[in-house]
Amino acid sequence: MFLRIILLIWTGLQAYVFYRVSSIPIIARHIPNWLLIMVAGILWMSYVLARFLNRRGFSAVARPLEVVGANWIGVSFLIFVCLLGTDLVTGFGLLLPRMAPALRGWALVASLALCAIAVVQARRAPVVRSYEVQLAHLPRESDGTVLVLATDLHLDRLLGGRWLAERVAQIQAERPDLVIFGGDILEGHHEAHREFLPLVRRLSPPLGLWAVTGNHEFYGGFDESVRMLQEAGFRVLRDQWAEVRPGLLIAGVDDLTARRRYGQDGNFVEQALAGRPLKAGTIFVSHTPWEADVAARAGAGLMLCGHTHNGQIWPFTYIVRLTYPLLGGRYEVNRMPVIVCRGTGTWGPHMRLWRRSEIVRVTLRSPAALERTA
């Protein structure tokens, strides 16, 4: 049902875009309708067809088709937003019937300019965003512990090994004590992962390499995804906690969004935090920024999340916020800090509008150490 709804929305968006584009005078004069319909059909099916062809072994055809299809998702959305804005201003052509077609032409130009900005911004290296967090019950001797969080890499052949090697070097440059990958690490193409994931082994933080699953690990074959992450050196936290060092714990859950979508019910957050020593600093990692209040009640001192991409392409941000109120940045939920990474990579279109990708660096502070220096 979810896929049918998405397909229906996608089809309606494409129909609107091409219907309005066909009314722009310069396009109406020089491009026949049959050609527009043919192009619309190819773009409408390109991304899904590329995934289908890849699974059937036609990777040489699938790769360029996937590049076109993935980026068309972002391009068509921005065209849709600009054309819809023009239609709202002109009353869908009823208020300014003579000017409306020309205004749609300028809206198309504006949308393509935004697309160019978004493509350039996505190609820039992620920014490193730093936070300091006072972690309850963290021992004095662990004061100053540095963790680095990377989420939503969506590794596939479109990003490539060079991109991943640069991100690994970027993480290493922060000299972290532990590294956490917060889900949506993999993106379906397991043959590409076998080439890329060994690059992750260059990371050797003294307190380990940790991960939780995201919804795309579910979509790409869950057991195989977990196995590949483990082979790459990750310790995957699946509704469990582990001791990083005496007095410092890390807990994690399998993705909550995917579980809801697949009808899995349970107290997963409480399960992940159950049975741990109560007088220990506890970091809780969940790909989806849901149930922060549950984690706070269960005694977590810090929650780390991803998944939202902070909307990735403005103004999609406002739609995402309806489902994920904790969209990006730092929040406080029942006095527990929650940090939502807006994503180290991109999903679908390699585009970001106004907000770059990011890597999160957190310095943990011990309340005991702060009291001593006060």
Side-chain angles (χ1 to χ4, degrees):
M1 180 59 68
F2 173 77
L3 293 176
R4 288 176 181 174
I5 292 172
I6 292 297
L7 184 60
L8 181 62
I9 294 171
W10 175 244
T11 302
L13 185 148
Q14 298 297 299
Y16 172 82
V17 164
F18 278 92
Y19 174 68
R20 278 318 197 195
V21 165
S22 68
S23 71
I24 296 172
I26 191 172
I27 293 176
R29 286 196 300 266
H30 294 94
I31 302 177
N33 283 336
W34 67 264
L35 182 57
L36 279 175
I37 293 171
M38 184 177 70
V39 171
I42 293 172
L43 292 173
W44 174 79
M45 66 185 302
S46 56
Y47 190 70
V48 175
L49 181 60
R51 291 301 182 93
F52 175 81
L53 291 174
N54 183 71
R55 290 180 180 179
R56 295 298 184 275
F58 298 100
S59 57
V61 179
R63 179 179 172 80
L65 192 60
E66 186 172 1
V67 171
V68 172
N71 286 292
W72 175 244
I73 294 172
V75 171
S76 62
F77 174 73
L78 287 173
I79 295 175
F80 168 78
V81 168
C82 291
L83 288 174
L84 181 61
T86 302
D87 270 346
L88 292 175
V89 169
T90 63
F92 290 85
L94 297 176
L95 299 179
L96 300 168
R98 293 184 178 180
M99 294 180 60
L103 289 174
R104 292 187 198 114
W106 286 111
L108 179 61
V109 172
S111 66
L112 295 178
L114 290 174
C115 290
I117 294 170
V119 168
V120 170
Q121 196 158 32
R123 292 181 64 86
R124 298 174 69 191
V127 64
V128 176
R129 188 166 298 276
S130 298
Y131 300 90
E132 279 202 3
V133 172
Q134 184 174 332
L135 186 64
H137 305 300
L138 182 69
R140 182 183 293 111
E141 54 271 22
S142 293
D143 183 71
T145 298
V146 173
L147 69 86
V148 169
L149 170 70
T151 75
D152 302 278
L153 281 77
H154 294 279
L155 294 175
D156 60 14
R157 62 169 59 88
L158 298 183
L159 286 174
R162 178 179 177 181
W163 181 89
L164 178 58
E166 290 172 351
R167 301 293 74 76
V168 167
Q170 197 174 4
I171 291 170
Q172 285 178 315
E174 298 303 316
R175 303 176 65 86
D177 295 296
L178 69 157
V179 173
I180 303 168
F181 277 34
D184 279 8
I185 305 160
L186 310 179
E187 185 62 37
H189 303 296
H190 288 308
E191 67 277 12
H193 300 152
R194 292 187 180 91
E195 175 186 350
F196 297 155
L197 282 176
L199 296 171
V200 179
R201 296 194 185 101
R202 298 176 184 175
L203 294 171
S204 54
L207 300 182
L209 189 59
W210 305 83
V212 296
T213 59
N215 50 306
H216 283 258
E217 274 74 46
F218 279 77
Y219 305 155
F222 186 81
D223 292 338
E224 178 69 3
S225 295
V226 170
R227 185 185 65 79
M228 295 183 75
L229 291 173
Q230 291 171 336
E231 288 179 356
F234 290 97
R235 181 165 178 183
V236 183
L237 296 164
R238 303 190 55 201
D239 305 339
Q240 63 189 131
W241 61 269
E243 188 175 56
V244 176
R245 62 164 40 144
L248 177 59
L249 310 178
I250 183 170
V253 290
D254 287 333
D255 182 54
L256 302 176
T257 293
R259 284 172 146 170
R260 179 179 294 185
R261 192 162 293 161
Y262 290 126
Q264 298 180 14
D265 297 319
N267 299 319
F268 305 115
V269 174
E270 294 175 348
Q271 178 182 334
L273 293 166
R276 74 189 195 286
L278 297 181
K279 296 298 182 180
T282 303
I283 303 165
F284 175 65
V285 188
S286 170
H287 178 65
T288 295
W290 282 342
E291 300 193 28
D293 57 332
V294 177
R297 286 198 306 270
L302 168 66
M303 182 171 175
L304 303 175
C305 311
H307 183 61
T308 67
H309 294 237
N310 206 351
Q312 188 168 320
I313 300 175
W314 179 92
F316 193 65
T317 305
Y318 302 113
I319 300 174
V320 176
R321 194 186 294 275
L322 297 175
T323 304
Y324 304 102
L326 304 182
L327 188 66
R330 179 171 178 161
Y331 304 87
E332 296 284 331
V333 176
N334 295 338
R335 294 186 293 180
M336 177 190 71
V338 181
I339 296 174
V340 182
C341 176
R342 63 174 174 252
T344 307
T346 56
W347 177 85
H350 292 296
M351 301 168 66
R352 274 193 177 272
L353 192 55
W354 311 137
R355 294 185 181 274
R356 287 166 63 182
S357 300
E358 73 176 6
I359 294 169
V360 169
R361 184 183 193 271
V362 180
T363 302
L364 301 177
R365 292 301 179 188
S366 166
L370 291 174
E371 290 172 2
R372 186 175 181 179
T373 57

